[in-house]
Amino acid sequence: QSVLTQPPSVSAAPEQKVTISCSGSSSNIGNGYISWYQHLPGTAPKLLIYENTKRPSGIPDRFSGSKSGTSATLDITGLQTGDAADYYCQTWDTSLDAIVFGGGTTLTVL
Amino acid sequence: QVQLQESGPGLLKPSQTLSLTCTVSGDSISSRGYYWNWIRQHPEKGLEWIGYIFYGGNTYYNPSLKSRITISVDTSKNQFYLKLTSATAADTAIYYCTRVPWYSGNPSDYWGRGTLVTVSS
């Protein structure tokens, strides 16, 4: 069971917006910074968001992150069929003294 | 273009030692701007952090695996390594090596494509 909680799946139509949530506690999200990854099985995961809201070079602004208290969200606007993938959140947990992940959310673009 | 490539045996028997190599290209593993990570993904999809190593050789391990793992680096080959002893079926996973810049939250900005390791008799 993952330390961070994500919905197993979300879906939306092309051009729509989807929000993926990541819930934790004061020992992880509440006192840390969140990263988000996109993963297509068989490929290298891709960093989408780091330090809660920042995008690496080359990541379109359709992807945005936010954090409030012990939860974080990844928003994807203007959905494209190519966005269909698994999405993971990650942070550091001070109680476990370890990097921790969410269980992953599968995005289906209908 | 930074690339990481995992390599090693894909199958081992219970109690054997898992040994993997990560070869880095497009960047120097001695770069002080980054450190180097191992992460694995179990068949049921969950990601688990294993540990990381700094260019100077200092390491930081997941406490849940600490007794069984060793991460090391060879800067002359631009490679770093993972050894995990006393393997069991629970160690069956896709193993990834990653690069971690000095950002808060330890994000991995580059990942290898992963290598599947199966532990089975």
Side-chain angles (χ1 to χ4, degrees):
Chain A
Q1 186 157 345
S2 301
V3 173
L4 306 179
T5 301
Q6 298 180 236
S9 63
V10 296
S11 61
E15 298 304 318
Q16 296 301 303
K17 172 185 173 180
V18 70
T19 295
I20 298 174
S21 62
C22 177
S23 177
S25 69
S26 59
S27 67
N28 43 65
I29 297 177
N31 278 293
Y33 288 85
I34 280 280
S35 306
W36 288 92
Y37 302 95
Q38 178 191 64
H39 186 210
L40 286 161
T43 68
K46 179 190 294 185
L47 178 65
L48 296 176
I49 299 288
Y50 67 98
E51 292 182 349
N52 300 334
T53 60
K54 298 176 181 178
R55 285 186 305 276
S57 173
I59 301 300
D61 59 6
R62 300 188 299 108
F63 296 89
S64 63
S66 63
K67 191 192 97 164
S68 178
T70 59
S71 294
T73 58
L74 173 70
D75 288 327
I76 310 173
T77 59
L79 273 175
Q80 302 175 359
T81 55
D83 295 332
D86 294 329
Y87 291 83
Y88 294 90
C89 56
Q90 177 218 298
T91 190
W92 180 269
D93 190 293
T94 56
S95 293
L96 297 174
D97 198 26
I99 293 171
V100 294
F101 292 90
T105 298
T106 298
L107 168 63
T108 301
V109 182
L110 302 169
Chain B
Q1 174 79 0
V2 177
Q3 291 186 317
L4 295 92
Q5 176 72 55
E6 305 89 350
S7 59
L11 178 65
L12 62 159
K13 297 186 186 314
S15 80
Q16 289 186 330
T17 295
L18 183 161
S19 295
L20 296 176
T21 298
C22 181
T23 301
V24 180
S25 58
D27 188 19
S28 170
I29 208 165
S30 299
S31 170
R32 298 190 181 202
Y34 306 98
Y35 47 105
W36 308 91
N37 225 7
W38 285 102
I39 291 169
R40 66 184 182 181
Q41 183 174 31
H42 297 281
E44 65 271 19
K45 194 163 121 174
L47 288 165
E48 181 180 28
W49 171 65
I50 298 171
Y52 52 70
I53 188 164
F54 301 94
Y55 72 95
N58 289 338
T59 53
Y60 208 95
Y61 298 148
N62 188 327
S64 68
L65 296 168
K66 187 175 183 177
S67 64
R68 297 196 294 133
I69 58 175
T70 302
I71 298 175
S72 57
V73 64
D74 187 333
T75 55
S76 67
K77 295 182 178 179
N78 224 37
Q79 294 176 331
F80 64 107
Y81 312 96
L82 171 66
K83 285 192 188 303
L84 185 152
T85 60
S86 304
T88 70
D91 296 312
T92 293
I94 299 172
Y95 286 75
Y96 296 96
C97 58
T98 82
R99 187 184 81 166
V100 187
W102 287 96
Y103 297 151
S104 298
N106 315 91
S108 291
D109 64 349
Y110 284 95
W111 297 57
R113 295 183 68 169
T115 186
L116 176 61
V117 176
T118 302
V119 182
S120 174
S121 56

